[in-house]
Amino acid sequence: MSTPAHPLVARARRLAQDLLAPEAERVDQEWVPASHLEAIRRSGLLGLNAPVEYGGSAAPASVAREVAEILAGACCSTWFVQTQHHTPVQTLANSDLPVRERLLGPLARGELLSGVAYAHLRSYPRIPVRVTRERGGHRFAGRVPWYSGWGLNDVMLLAGVCDGGEVVFAFVEAREQPGLRASQPLRLAALTAARTVSLELDGLWVPEEAVALRAPHDRWAATDRRKTLHASPAVFGVAEAALGLLDEDTAGPLRARLAEVRRAAYALADGPVPQEEPADRPTLRTQAYEVMRAATTAAVVAGGGRAMLLTGKAQRLAREGMFLLVQGQTEESRRAHLNSLAASVAPAHGPSTGRADTSA
């Protein structure tokens, strides 16, 4: 007898089957509609990792991963907008600052939707966004290269770096205001529908009571590094969706390999945090990419010329897979992936001379 799905997983599946997947090709060519995010809110998925006492579900990691796979496989653009919300929720859940009591409940219940503007911290010691203290608050100046969900989010979790190397995370209304200006939405090869813009910060003032986290950059980066080395559930979700477009002779071996890599990656994610990061983490992340690339490529090949139509599911999944190759990327993960790609095409016994061996 099979084990019943967790209620949140069951809701995610219904949402994917009834709304997200049928609309995915249209959304890909337009914008993620607010109605999609409202449906996710009604399902309770925005409170997936939020504390129960604040209106969330405090779901285990295994449930959160399965939900992410389902949503990403159905409509990666919608998944990407809503997945931004979970980091601010978790940041508040771990915070002891006053903003926790003001915002955690509304975010956990889905009354507010949050985005994130902190990936630029990974370029440190370069500082794209600088923070200075001023009269009961902070001023943010610089440029956020990527911000997704503009026009959909109510608030954003914005981060910058102080002169002493401390990172400051604070909540800001996600709208144009004095000191904050957004670009036109960026046209991207994939996930344009996620409404991604760049943000110009010209002395944006944020009150002290909006601050959710302060930490030395190296301490924050150590935690962030562990997260970015894990294989993303979205990679498995897009790969699984691509396999659904193939006949079983083609899909079978790829599905077995996908299950093998998924099991190993999730077992490592659930294990204890070691003093030294095991080499398995970037290796498994790269292996997940390779299975996804094989699956989406196979879907395009199987679809033939029809796969080139923008109404075709295979080409959308292939482009979404390309996006996931760089989502959450750091210098370390980039180097590990490039090394793996180079090794995969290296000759097994040294370079060939191109001449037959006639010495025998």
Side-chain angles (χ1 to χ4, degrees), residues 185-262:
L186 304 175
R187 297 299 299 176
L188 306 175
L191 274 69
T192 287
R195 304 195 196 191
T196 299
V197 298
S198 60
L199 301 175
E200 298 296 332
L201 305 172
D202 184 16
L204 173 69
W205 186 78
V206 179
E208 183 65 35
E209 57 265 27
V211 173
L213 172 67
R214 283 193 200 84
H217 183 275
D218 57 354
R219 192 173 78 197
W220 171 83
T223 301
D224 179 67
R225 176 178 175 270
R226 284 194 292 272
K227 291 189 294 185
T228 59
L229 287 176
H230 288 306
S232 168
V235 171
F236 299 120
V238 168
E240 196 72 64
L243 294 179
L245 301 178
L246 303 174
D247 61 64
E248 192 52 37
D249 286 344
T250 306
L254 288 169
R255 185 170 285 112
R257 176 60 177 155
L258 181 69
E260 177 186 16
V261 175
R262 180 197 278 122

Side-chain angles (χ1 to χ4, degrees), residues 120-121 123-128 145 161:
H120 50 275
L121 294 181
S123 66
Y124 190 84
R126 190 168 64 84
I127 303 178
V161 182

